[in-house]
Amino acid sequence: IAFFYIPNIELYYSIFSPKLMKVLIAINEFKGSLSSIEIGEVISSKINYKYNNVTSYVQPIADGGDGFLALFKGFDKMKFKTINAARQECEVNYLLDTKRKEAVIEIAEVIGLKHLNDTQKDPFRTSTVGLGKLISFLIEIGIEHIIIGLGGSATNDCGIGMLSELGVKFTDRSGKPCKHGINELKNIYNIDHRFMNDRLKDIRFSIISDVSNPLIGKNGSTYIFAKQKGLDENKFAEVDKYIEKFSDKVQLVTGKNNVFSEGSGAAGGLGFAFMSFFNATIYPGSKFMIDYLNLESKIQEADIIITGEGKLDMQSYMGKAPIEIARIAKKFNKKVIFLAGSVIDNELSELNEDDRKLIDASFSIQRKFISLNMAMDKKVAKQNLENTIVQIFNILEFNHG
């Protein structure tokens, strides 16, 4: 009988065993369908079950939009009764830490598109009042730092509803209050902020924006984001003009000009409202998330990064988390796979060469022609994800093995 002494068993396995492929799954929520956590778990469970030489890790992500609350640890999950963007009573989630006197709000949870049906999507009517009610409550209970994730809003009112709840008076020529949607924003003649809640001066706002767009112009809040909120394209120029006139009045009152500041156009101009009236600092959502989650080190440890969101288009390259994750991955020469509900190739063809290189392969998870409602059904979306990931890893395993 012969015995062999192996001085370094780890070295032995590294030579004679197939290399273990490490996959990091960090995908944004598919809005209205699957959460970031759900997507990650579907993909990870399929990979870990089917492929012996692949191990996957899930990292939920959100850059200020839907799913933002899921990023935070050490807070108590609370509920608050308020009104949604369509001014209907609702109960929303937020996070609270009374010891640190901090709170976290997700705009998409309070006044988000995901809570409205198609007939309710109308920026001329949708309002940010419900957000103002929650902020007012937090001030009254002694909160000193409020972290707000901008993104996924159903509004385009520059925050006049929220500001009205906090003491700013907007009136038309006859002195009638203006606080709901573009219908009333366009009539604002006078702004009086003398009666703002006194405690606001002691409140620090950290505003986390998932986009860097300015308030007005062809790259502003209306032209880029208002269509998905229910605004007809024929109204873009008209509404942008209303907002420009409103911003001029705000500048006269506050002495601040934030019209073209990065992120001022986020959440239908809520970024502009926070910058103009409060002690607020705006942070790029992707950078905040990447730093908070220590994502760079996690990316370094992986061989392949799977990222994505509901749609891959030009907006994805405007500071959205998946593309910023891809930028970091490329810094460490990692392969990037992008999964989406839909991929808009005609828009992506306009990207510059450097941006095109950020993604090694992009895939729509749709396996056949189906309606949008059916595609967003959780069961259908999960099955499509599983089918797509199997096809991808059949090839990767072949090349890797």
Side-chain angles (χ1 to χ4, degrees):
I1 301 173
F3 294 91
F4 295 93
Y5 171 61
I6 303 175
N8 190 330
I9 193 70
E10 290 184 0
L11 177 61
Y12 173 85
Y13 279 114
S14 70
I15 294 172
F16 295 103
S17 298
K19 183 178 183 296
L20 189 66
M21 185 193 302
K22 296 180 181 179
V23 178
L24 175 64
I25 304 165
I27 300 181
N28 249 349
E29 178 173 279
F30 284 8
K31 193 179 298 182
S33 181
L34 298 173
S35 71
S36 179
I37 294 174
E38 288 173 325
I39 294 169
E41 288 177 347
V42 168
I43 295 174
S44 180
S45 62
K46 178 59 73 172
I47 289 174
N48 292 339
Y49 172 76
K50 190 172 176 63
Y51 305 98
N52 294 328
N53 65 332
V54 182
T55 184
S56 61
Y57 307 90
V58 177
Q59 175 57 70
I61 63 170
D63 45 19
D66 298 85
F68 185 64
L69 296 183
L71 297 183
F72 294 85
K73 309 299 180 186
F75 286 81
D76 295 322
K77 190 173 182 178
M78 309 295 289
K79 292 187 178 295
F80 180 76
K81 290 184 178 180
T82 183
I83 59 173
N84 64 18
R87 291 180 261 167
Q88 296 175 322
E89 290 187 0
C90 62
E91 189 172 61
V92 301
N93 297 309
Y94 70 97
L95 302 180
L96 186 66
D97 187 321
T98 52
K99 289 184 179 179
R100 295 202 306 265
K101 297 184 178 180
E102 284 187 332
V104 184
I105 297 174
E106 179 183 313
I107 293 295
E109 173 69 12
V110 184
I111 51 169
L113 268 175
K114 63 184 180 182
H115 297 304
L116 306 188
N117 59 42
D118 288 344
T119 60
Q120 294 172 320
K121 295 174 184 177
D122 180 5
F124 276 94
R125 298 172 56 83
T126 49
S127 174
T128 54
V129 162
L131 173 63
K133 290 180 182 295
L134 176 53
I135 293 174
S136 180
F137 167 75
L138 294 175
I139 293 171
E140 293 305 315
I141 65 172
I143 297 303
E144 296 176 355
H145 180 211
I146 303 177
I147 302 168
I148 299 183
L150 298 186
S153 80
T155 58
N156 202 54
D157 72 349
C158 298
I160 62 169
M162 172 193 73
L163 293 167
S164 296
E165 285 296 311
L166 296 170
V168 182
K169 296 186 182 299
F170 301 99
T171 52
D172 62 15
R173 287 181 179 272
S174 65
K176 181 182 177 182
C178 301
K179 61 191 296 186
H180 294 303
I182 298 167
N183 271 339
E184 296 186 16
L185 177 141
K186 69 181 182 181
N187 295 325
I188 291 174
Y189 180 73
N190 187 59
I191 303 173
D192 187 347
H193 66 320
R194 293 175 299 167
F195 304 102
M196 283 178 64
N197 191 317
D198 285 339
R199 298 183 186 181
L200 276 168
K201 63 180 182 296
D202 300 318
I203 308 297
R204 181 166 59 94
F205 290 91
S206 293
I207 308 303
I208 316 303
S209 175
D210 63 344
V211 296
S212 57
N213 302 71
L215 180 65
I216 62 173
K218 292 297 177 68
N219 200 36
S221 61
T222 301
Y223 277 90
I224 300 299
F225 305 114
K227 183 177 181 179
Q228 66 189 20
K229 301 177 185 186
L231 188 64
D232 191 288
E233 291 183 59
N234 294 328
K235 296 287 186 179
F236 285 179
E238 175 186 339
V239 170
D240 201 50
K241 199 66 180 176
Y242 294 149
I243 291 175
E244 183 178 4
K245 289 180 178 179
F246 169 75
S247 67
D248 289 341
K249 294 180 186 298
V250 170
Q251 184 178 347
L252 287 174
V253 170
T254 65
K256 299 178 182 179
N257 183 8
N258 294 304
V259 173
F260 295 106
S261 299
E262 288 193 1
S264 61
L270 272 172
F272 172 78
F274 281 110
M275 291 182 209
S276 299
F277 288 90
F278 303 145
N279 174 23
T281 304
I282 194 161
Y283 300 93
S286 299
K287 184 179 187 311
F288 173 86
M289 179 206 66
I290 288 166
D291 291 345
Y292 185 83
L293 298 174
N294 194 24
L295 262 180
E296 187 161 318
S297 66
K298 295 176 182 178
I299 289 171
Q300 282 182 266
E301 295 169 2
D303 298 304
I304 293 176
I305 313 302
I306 301 179
T307 189
E309 59 183 346
K311 182 187 292 185
L312 175 59
D313 57 9
M314 287 296 285
Q315 284 191 34
S316 304
Y317 289 79
M318 295 178 180
K320 294 293 185 73
I323 295 300
E324 297 311 305
I325 287 172
R327 291 188 198 282
I328 294 174
K330 285 306 167 186
K331 187 168 71 171
F332 299 107
N333 297 313
K334 307 295 183 179
K335 293 295 183 182
V336 177
I337 296 172
F338 198 108
L339 299 181
S342 61
V343 179
I344 313 302
D345 285 319
N346 63 324
E347 291 189 16
L348 301 180
S349 66
E350 300 176 11
L351 294 171
N352 61 47
E353 190 67 22
D354 288 339
D355 283 343
R356 289 185 190 182
K357 292 178 179 178
L358 294 176
I359 298 173
D360 294 287
S362 62
F363 299 88
S364 166
I365 66 169
Q366 306 307 325
R367 309 290 294 173
K368 61 182 179 180
F369 291 107
I370 56 177
S371 68
L372 178 60
N373 285 339
M374 183 176 291
M376 293 176 67
D377 179 84
K378 280 182 178 287
K379 186 177 180 179
V380 174
K382 286 179 180 179
Q383 187 64 58
N384 283 342
L385 273 171
E386 289 183 346
N387 290 339
T388 303
I389 210 68
V390 166
Q391 299 306 311
I392 292 170
F393 274 85
N394 282 345
I395 295 296
L396 287 176
E397 189 183 39
F398 174 78
N399 289 330
H400 193 70

PDB file of all heavy atoms in Angstrom, residues 284-313:
ATOM      1  N   PRO A 284     -25.289  61.782  -5.204  1.00  0.00           N
ATOM      2  CA  PRO A 284     -25.629  60.841  -6.280  1.00  0.00           C
ATOM      3  C   PRO A 284     -26.025  59.499  -5.679  1.00  0.00           C
ATOM      4  O   PRO A 284     -25.287  58.925  -4.868  1.00  0.00           O
ATOM      5  CB  PRO A 284     -24.322  60.731  -7.079  1.00  0.00           C
ATOM      6  CG  PRO A 284     -23.549  61.964  -6.735  1.00  0.00           C
ATOM      7  CD  PRO A 284     -23.909  62.287  -5.320  1.00  0.00           C
ATOM      8  N   GLY A 285     -27.190  59.005  -6.066  1.00  0.00           N
ATOM      9  CA  GLY A 285     -27.711  57.787  -5.463  1.00  0.00           C
ATOM     10  C   GLY A 285     -26.788  56.592  -5.603  1.00  0.00           C
ATOM     11  O   GLY A 285     -26.600  55.818  -4.658  1.00  0.00           O
ATOM     12  N   SER A 286     -26.205  56.440  -6.772  1.00  0.00           N
ATOM     13  CA  SER A 286     -25.346  55.290  -7.007  1.00  0.00           C
ATOM     14  C   SER A 286     -24.103  55.339  -6.134  1.00  0.00           C
ATOM     15  O   SER A 286     -23.706  54.324  -5.548  1.00  0.00           O
ATOM     16  CB  SER A 286     -24.947  55.224  -8.481  1.00  0.00           C
ATOM     17  OG  SER A 286     -26.089  55.080  -9.279  1.00  0.00           O
ATOM     18  N   LYS A 287     -23.482  56.506  -6.028  1.00  0.00           N
ATOM     19  CA  LYS A 287     -22.273  56.619  -5.202  1.00  0.00           C
ATOM     20  C   LYS A 287     -22.598  56.371  -3.727  1.00  0.00           C
ATOM     21  O   LYS A 287     -21.854  55.676  -3.017  1.00  0.00           O
ATOM     22  CB  LYS A 287     -21.626  57.991  -5.367  1.00  0.00           C
ATOM     23  CG  LYS A 287     -20.307  58.128  -4.607  1.00  0.00           C
ATOM     24  CD  LYS A 287     -19.677  59.489  -4.805  1.00  0.00           C
ATOM     25  CE  LYS A 287     -18.292  59.553  -4.182  1.00  0.00           C
ATOM     26  NZ  LYS A 287     -18.229  59.063  -2.799  1.00  0.00           N
ATOM     27  N   PHE A 288     -23.718  56.943  -3.273  1.00  0.00           N
ATOM     28  CA  PHE A 288     -24.123  56.732  -1.889  1.00  0.00           C
ATOM     29  C   PHE A 288     -24.304  55.240  -1.607  1.00  0.00           C
ATOM     30  O   PHE A 288     -23.806  54.712  -0.611  1.00  0.00           O
ATOM     31  CB  PHE A 288     -25.433  57.480  -1.621  1.00  0.00           C
ATOM     32  CG  PHE A 288     -26.038  57.190  -0.270  1.00  0.00           C
ATOM     33  CD1 PHE A 288     -25.647  57.917   0.841  1.00  0.00           C
ATOM     34  CD2 PHE A 288     -26.985  56.184  -0.118  1.00  0.00           C
ATOM     35  CE1 PHE A 288     -26.203  57.644   2.093  1.00  0.00           C
ATOM     36  CE2 PHE A 288     -27.543  55.901   1.121  1.00  0.00           C
ATOM     37  CZ  PHE A 288     -27.144  56.635   2.229  1.00  0.00           C
ATOM     38  N   MET A 289     -25.003  54.557  -2.506  1.00  0.00           N
ATOM     39  CA  MET A 289     -25.272  53.134  -2.318  1.00  0.00           C
ATOM     40  C   MET A 289     -23.996  52.304  -2.378  1.00  0.00           C
ATOM     41  O   MET A 289     -23.768  51.421  -1.550  1.00  0.00           O
ATOM     42  CB  MET A 289     -26.243  52.657  -3.388  1.00  0.00           C
ATOM     43  CG  MET A 289     -26.578  51.189  -3.319  1.00  0.00           C
ATOM     44  SD  MET A 289     -27.072  50.553  -4.937  1.00  0.00           S
ATOM     45  CE  MET A 289     -25.528  50.726  -5.845  1.00  0.00           C
ATOM     46  N   ILE A 290     -23.138  52.604  -3.345  1.00  0.00           N
ATOM     47  CA  ILE A 290     -21.896  51.849  -3.505  1.00  0.00           C
ATOM     48  C   ILE A 290     -21.014  51.991  -2.271  1.00  0.00           C
ATOM     49  O   ILE A 290     -20.428  51.018  -1.785  1.00  0.00           O
ATOM     50  CB  ILE A 290     -21.169  52.302  -4.783  1.00  0.00           C
ATOM     51  CG1 ILE A 290     -21.936  51.784  -6.017  1.00  0.00           C
ATOM     52  CG2 ILE A 290     -19.721  51.822  -4.807  1.00  0.00           C
ATOM     53  CD1 ILE A 290     -21.533  52.435  -7.319  1.00  0.00           C
ATOM     54  N   ASP A 291     -20.933  53.214  -1.742  1.00  0.00           N
ATOM     55  CA  ASP A 291     -20.138  53.436  -0.530  1.00  0.00           C
ATOM     56  C   ASP A 291     -20.776  52.784   0.686  1.00  0.00           C
ATOM     57  O   ASP A 291     -20.095  52.135   1.490  1.00  0.00           O
ATOM     58  CB  ASP A 291     -19.968  54.948  -0.279  1.00  0.00           C
ATOM     59  CG  ASP A 291     -19.086  55.617  -1.318  1.00  0.00           C
ATOM     60  OD1 ASP A 291     -18.384  54.890  -2.055  1.00  0.00           O
ATOM     61  OD2 ASP A 291     -19.112  56.854  -1.405  1.00  0.00           O
ATOM     62  N   TYR A 292     -22.084  52.938   0.831  1.00  0.00           N
ATOM     63  CA  TYR A 292     -22.796  52.423   2.004  1.00  0.00           C
ATOM     64  C   TYR A 292     -22.700  50.898   2.073  1.00  0.00           C
ATOM     65  O   TYR A 292     -22.552  50.316   3.159  1.00  0.00           O
ATOM     66  CB  TYR A 292     -24.264  52.855   1.936  1.00  0.00           C
ATOM     67  CG  TYR A 292     -25.080  52.489   3.155  1.00  0.00           C
ATOM     68  CD1 TYR A 292     -25.061  53.296   4.292  1.00  0.00           C
ATOM     69  CD2 TYR A 292     -25.861  51.340   3.183  1.00  0.00           C
ATOM     70  CE1 TYR A 292     -25.805  52.972   5.416  1.00  0.00           C
ATOM     71  CE2 TYR A 292     -26.612  51.011   4.298  1.00  0.00           C
ATOM     72  CZ  TYR A 292     -26.577  51.821   5.417  1.00  0.00           C
ATOM     73  OH  TYR A 292     -27.308  51.490   6.531  1.00  0.00           O
ATOM     74  N   LEU A 293     -22.761  50.236   0.926  1.00  0.00           N
ATOM     75  CA  LEU A 293     -22.742  48.777   0.868  1.00  0.00           C
ATOM     76  C   LEU A 293     -21.345  48.201   0.678  1.00  0.00           C
ATOM     77  O   LEU A 293     -21.175  46.982   0.610  1.00  0.00           O
ATOM     78  CB  LEU A 293     -23.636  48.288  -0.275  1.00  0.00           C
ATOM     79  CG  LEU A 293     -25.120  48.631  -0.180  1.00  0.00           C
ATOM     80  CD1 LEU A 293     -25.845  48.199  -1.456  1.00  0.00           C
ATOM     81  CD2 LEU A 293     -25.754  47.972   1.040  1.00  0.00           C
ATOM     82  N   ASN A 294     -20.327  49.085   0.566  1.00  0.00           N
ATOM     83  CA  ASN A 294     -18.956  48.634   0.325  1.00  0.00           C
ATOM     84  C   ASN A 294     -18.904  47.729  -0.911  1.00  0.00           C
ATOM     85  O   ASN A 294     -18.259  46.675  -0.915  1.00  0.00           O
ATOM     86  CB  ASN A 294     -18.410  47.891   1.548  1.00  0.00           C
ATOM     87  CG  ASN A 294     -16.902  47.713   1.490  1.00  0.00           C
ATOM     88  OD1 ASN A 294     -16.196  48.469   0.824  1.00  0.00           O
ATOM     89  ND2 ASN A 294     -16.393  46.694   2.160  1.00  0.00           N
ATOM     90  N   LEU A 295     -19.583  48.154  -1.959  1.00  0.00           N
ATOM     91  CA  LEU A 295     -19.723  47.332  -3.151  1.00  0.00           C
ATOM     92  C   LEU A 295     -18.417  47.131  -3.905  1.00  0.00           C
ATOM     93  O   LEU A 295     -18.208  46.099  -4.539  1.00  0.00           O
ATOM     94  CB  LEU A 295     -20.760  47.955  -4.090  1.00  0.00           C
ATOM     95  CG  LEU A 295     -22.176  47.384  -4.019  1.00  0.00           C
ATOM     96  CD1 LEU A 295     -23.085  48.103  -4.989  1.00  0.00           C
ATOM     97  CD2 LEU A 295     -22.174  45.902  -4.315  1.00  0.00           C
ATOM     98  N   GLU A 296     -17.529  48.104  -3.837  1.00  0.00           N
ATOM     99  CA  GLU A 296     -16.294  47.984  -4.606  1.00  0.00           C
ATOM    100  C   GLU A 296     -15.508  46.737  -4.194  1.00  0.00           C
ATOM    101  O   GLU A 296     -14.994  46.003  -5.046  1.00  0.00           O
ATOM    102  CB  GLU A 296     -15.440  49.246  -4.457  1.00  0.00           C
ATOM    103  CG  GLU A 296     -14.222  49.238  -5.360  1.00  0.00           C
ATOM    104  CD  GLU A 296     -13.621  50.614  -5.577  1.00  0.00           C
ATOM    105  OE1 GLU A 296     -14.394  51.582  -5.764  1.00  0.00           O
ATOM    106  OE2 GLU A 296     -12.393  50.712  -5.568  1.00  0.00           O
ATOM    107  N   SER A 297     -15.409  46.499  -2.898  1.00  0.00           N
ATOM    108  CA  SER A 297     -14.663  45.326  -2.433  1.00  0.00           C
ATOM    109  C   SER A 297     -15.370  44.030  -2.831  1.00  0.00           C
ATOM    110  O   SER A 297     -14.726  43.023  -3.142  1.00  0.00           O
ATOM    111  CB  SER A 297     -14.468  45.382  -0.921  1.00  0.00           C
ATOM    112  OG  SER A 297     -15.710  45.275  -0.244  1.00  0.00           O
ATOM    113  N   LYS A 298     -16.717  44.045  -2.835  1.00  0.00           N
ATOM    114  CA  LYS A 298     -17.467  42.854  -3.226  1.00  0.00           C
ATOM    115  C   LYS A 298     -17.287  42.562  -4.718  1.00  0.00           C
ATOM    116  O   LYS A 298     -17.240  41.405  -5.133  1.00  0.00           O
ATOM    117  CB  LYS A 298     -18.944  43.039  -2.883  1.00  0.00           C
ATOM    118  CG  LYS A 298     -19.203  43.141  -1.383  1.00  0.00           C
ATOM    119  CD  LYS A 298     -20.663  43.427  -1.068  1.00  0.00           C
ATOM    120  CE  LYS A 298     -20.870  43.579   0.440  1.00  0.00           C
ATOM    121  NZ  LYS A 298     -22.254  43.897   0.803  1.00  0.00           N
ATOM    122  N   ILE A 299     -17.207  43.624  -5.512  1.00  0.00           N
ATOM    123  CA  ILE A 299     -16.984  43.463  -6.950  1.00  0.00           C
ATOM    124  C   ILE A 299     -15.600  42.881  -7.217  1.00  0.00           C
ATOM    125  O   ILE A 299     -15.419  42.011  -8.079  1.00  0.00           O
ATOM    126  CB  ILE A 299     -17.169  44.811  -7.667  1.00  0.00           C
ATOM    127  CG1 ILE A 299     -18.655  45.198  -7.671  1.00  0.00           C
ATOM    128  CG2 ILE A 299     -16.627  44.759  -9.101  1.00  0.00           C
ATOM    129  CD1 ILE A 299     -18.939  46.606  -8.150  1.00  0.00           C
ATOM    130  N   GLN A 300     -14.604  43.333  -6.471  1.00  0.00           N
ATOM    131  CA  GLN A 300     -13.245  42.832  -6.642  1.00  0.00           C
ATOM    132  C   GLN A 300     -13.150  41.327  -6.411  1.00  0.00           C
ATOM    133  O   GLN A 300     -12.337  40.634  -7.043  1.00  0.00           O
ATOM    134  CB  GLN A 300     -12.292  43.540  -5.666  1.00  0.00           C
ATOM    135  CG  GLN A 300     -11.887  44.937  -6.089  1.00  0.00           C
ATOM    136  CD  GLN A 300     -10.904  45.554  -5.112  1.00  0.00           C
ATOM    137  OE1 GLN A 300     -11.297  46.262  -4.195  1.00  0.00           O
ATOM    138  NE2 GLN A 300      -9.645  45.260  -5.304  1.00  0.00           N
ATOM    139  N   GLU A 301     -13.973  40.812  -5.508  1.00  0.00           N
ATOM    140  CA  GLU A 301     -13.907  39.400  -5.150  1.00  0.00           C
ATOM    141  C   GLU A 301     -14.630  38.497  -6.144  1.00  0.00           C
ATOM    142  O   GLU A 301     -14.482  37.273  -6.094  1.00  0.00           O
ATOM    143  CB  GLU A 301     -14.510  39.195  -3.757  1.00  0.00           C
ATOM    144  CG  GLU A 301     -13.723  39.876  -2.640  1.00  0.00           C
ATOM    145  CD  GLU A 301     -14.478  39.878  -1.318  1.00  0.00           C
ATOM    146  OE1 GLU A 301     -15.603  39.314  -1.292  1.00  0.00           O
ATOM    147  OE2 GLU A 301     -13.955  40.428  -0.343  1.00  0.00           O
ATOM    148  N   ALA A 302     -15.415  39.080  -7.043  1.00  0.00           N
ATOM    149  CA  ALA A 302     -16.214  38.292  -7.985  1.00  0.00           C
ATOM    150  C   ALA A 302     -15.517  38.157  -9.335  1.00  0.00           C
ATOM    151  O   ALA A 302     -14.633  38.946  -9.688  1.00  0.00           O
ATOM    152  CB  ALA A 302     -17.577  38.948  -8.169  1.00  0.00           C
ATOM    153  N   ASP A 303     -15.910  37.120 -10.083  1.00  0.00           N
ATOM    154  CA  ASP A 303     -15.424  36.945 -11.454  1.00  0.00           C
ATOM    155  C   ASP A 303     -16.371  37.600 -12.452  1.00  0.00           C
ATOM    156  O   ASP A 303     -15.938  38.172 -13.447  1.00  0.00           O
ATOM    157  CB  ASP A 303     -15.309  35.449 -11.783  1.00  0.00           C
ATOM    158  CG  ASP A 303     -14.319  34.740 -10.889  1.00  0.00           C
ATOM    159  OD1 ASP A 303     -13.159  35.169 -10.838  1.00  0.00           O
ATOM    160  OD2 ASP A 303     -14.717  33.771 -10.210  1.00  0.00           O
ATOM    161  N   ILE A 304     -17.655  37.470 -12.177  1.00  0.00           N
ATOM    162  CA  ILE A 304     -18.685  38.006 -13.078  1.00  0.00           C
ATOM    163  C   ILE A 304     -19.689  38.806 -12.260  1.00  0.00           C
ATOM    164  O   ILE A 304     -20.070  38.392 -11.166  1.00  0.00           O
ATOM    165  CB  ILE A 304     -19.409  36.868 -13.818  1.00  0.00           C
ATOM    166  CG1 ILE A 304     -18.451  36.162 -14.778  1.00  0.00           C
ATOM    167  CG2 ILE A 304     -20.624  37.390 -14.588  1.00  0.00           C
ATOM    168  CD1 ILE A 304     -19.057  34.962 -15.465  1.00  0.00           C
ATOM    169  N   ILE A 305     -20.096  39.932 -12.798  1.00  0.00           N
ATOM    170  CA  ILE A 305     -21.119  40.774 -12.173  1.00  0.00           C
ATOM    171  C   ILE A 305     -22.382  40.695 -13.017  1.00  0.00           C
ATOM    172  O   ILE A 305     -22.354  40.969 -14.221  1.00  0.00           O
ATOM    173  CB  ILE A 305     -20.661  42.248 -12.078  1.00  0.00           C
ATOM    174  CG1 ILE A 305     -19.233  42.365 -11.541  1.00  0.00           C
ATOM    175  CG2 ILE A 305     -21.652  43.054 -11.241  1.00  0.00           C
ATOM    176  CD1 ILE A 305     -19.015  41.757 -10.189  1.00  0.00           C
ATOM    177  N   ILE A 306     -23.471  40.300 -12.390  1.00  0.00           N
ATOM    178  CA  ILE A 306     -24.773  40.342 -13.068  1.00  0.00           C
ATOM    179  C   ILE A 306     -25.554  41.508 -12.477  1.00  0.00           C
ATOM    180  O   ILE A 306     -25.847  41.543 -11.281  1.00  0.00           O
ATOM    181  CB  ILE A 306     -25.572  39.047 -12.870  1.00  0.00           C
ATOM    182  CG1 ILE A 306     -24.795  37.851 -13.402  1.00  0.00           C
ATOM    183  CG2 ILE A 306     -26.923  39.157 -13.591  1.00  0.00           C
ATOM    184  CD1 ILE A 306     -25.521  36.530 -13.211  1.00  0.00           C
ATOM    185  N   THR A 307     -25.847  42.482 -13.313  1.00  0.00           N
ATOM    186  CA  THR A 307     -26.602  43.650 -12.860  1.00  0.00           C
ATOM    187  C   THR A 307     -27.767  43.865 -13.822  1.00  0.00           C
ATOM    188  O   THR A 307     -27.997  43.075 -14.719  1.00  0.00           O
ATOM    189  CB  THR A 307     -25.701  44.885 -12.742  1.00  0.00           C
ATOM    190  OG1 THR A 307     -26.413  45.948 -12.092  1.00  0.00           O
ATOM    191  CG2 THR A 307     -25.199  45.365 -14.093  1.00  0.00           C
ATOM    192  N   GLY A 308     -28.514  44.928 -13.619  1.00  0.00           N
ATOM    193  CA  GLY A 308     -29.624  45.201 -14.515  1.00  0.00           C
ATOM    194  C   GLY A 308     -30.729  45.995 -13.861  1.00  0.00           C
ATOM    195  O   GLY A 308     -30.639  46.390 -12.693  1.00  0.00           O
ATOM    196  N   GLU A 309     -31.777  46.249 -14.635  1.00  0.00           N
ATOM    197  CA  GLU A 309     -32.983  46.934 -14.169  1.00  0.00           C
ATOM    198  C   GLU A 309     -34.088  46.690 -15.176  1.00  0.00           C
ATOM    199  O   GLU A 309     -33.889  45.971 -16.159  1.00  0.00           O
ATOM    200  CB  GLU A 309     -32.720  48.431 -13.985  1.00  0.00           C
ATOM    201  CG  GLU A 309     -32.260  49.165 -15.223  1.00  0.00           C
ATOM    202  CD  GLU A 309     -31.955  50.634 -14.939  1.00  0.00           C
ATOM    203  OE1 GLU A 309     -32.349  51.125 -13.877  1.00  0.00           O
ATOM    204  OE2 GLU A 309     -31.344  51.274 -15.801  1.00  0.00           O
ATOM    205  N   GLY A 310     -35.247  47.259 -14.951  1.00  0.00           N
ATOM    206  CA  GLY A 310     -36.400  46.995 -15.793  1.00  0.00           C
ATOM    207  C   GLY A 310     -36.179  47.277 -17.264  1.00  0.00           C
ATOM    208  O   GLY A 310     -36.654  46.532 -18.126  1.00  0.00           O
ATOM    209  N   LYS A 311     -35.465  48.362 -17.559  1.00  0.00           N
ATOM    210  CA  LYS A 311     -35.223  48.728 -18.950  1.00  0.00           C
ATOM    211  C   LYS A 311     -33.786  49.222 -19.100  1.00  0.00           C
ATOM    212  O   LYS A 311     -33.306  50.025 -18.299  1.00  0.00           O
ATOM    213  CB  LYS A 311     -36.197  49.829 -19.389  1.00  0.00           C
ATOM    214  CG  LYS A 311     -36.060  50.251 -20.852  1.00  0.00           C
ATOM    215  CD  LYS A 311     -36.933  51.466 -21.173  1.00  0.00           C
ATOM    216  CE  LYS A 311     -38.404  51.130 -21.124  1.00  0.00           C
ATOM    217  NZ  LYS A 311     -39.242  52.291 -21.567  1.00  0.00           N
ATOM    218  N   LEU A 312     -33.111  48.746 -20.131  1.00  0.00           N
ATOM    219  CA  LEU A 312     -31.774  49.240 -20.466  1.00  0.00           C
ATOM    220  C   LEU A 312     -31.909  50.211 -21.627  1.00  0.00           C
ATOM    221  O   LEU A 312     -32.233  49.829 -22.746  1.00  0.00           O
ATOM    222  CB  LEU A 312     -30.851  48.082 -20.847  1.00  0.00           C
ATOM    223  CG  LEU A 312     -29.444  48.468 -21.344  1.00  0.00           C
ATOM    224  CD1 LEU A 312     -28.693  49.270 -20.287  1.00  0.00           C
ATOM    225  CD2 LEU A 312     -28.646  47.227 -21.732  1.00  0.00           C
ATOM    226  N   ASP A 313     -31.705  51.508 -21.331  1.00  0.00           N
ATOM    227  CA  ASP A 313     -31.815  52.541 -22.347  1.00  0.00           C
ATOM    228  C   ASP A 313     -30.881  53.686 -21.978  1.00  0.00           C
ATOM    229  O   ASP A 313     -30.013  53.542 -21.105  1.00  0.00           O
ATOM    230  CB  ASP A 313     -33.264  53.014 -22.496  1.00  0.00           C
ATOM    231  CG  ASP A 313     -33.843  53.541 -21.173  1.00  0.00           C
ATOM    232  OD1 ASP A 313     -33.082  53.707 -20.189  1.00  0.00           O
ATOM    233  OD2 ASP A 313     -35.073  53.799 -21.123  1.00  0.00           O
TER     234      ASP A 313
END
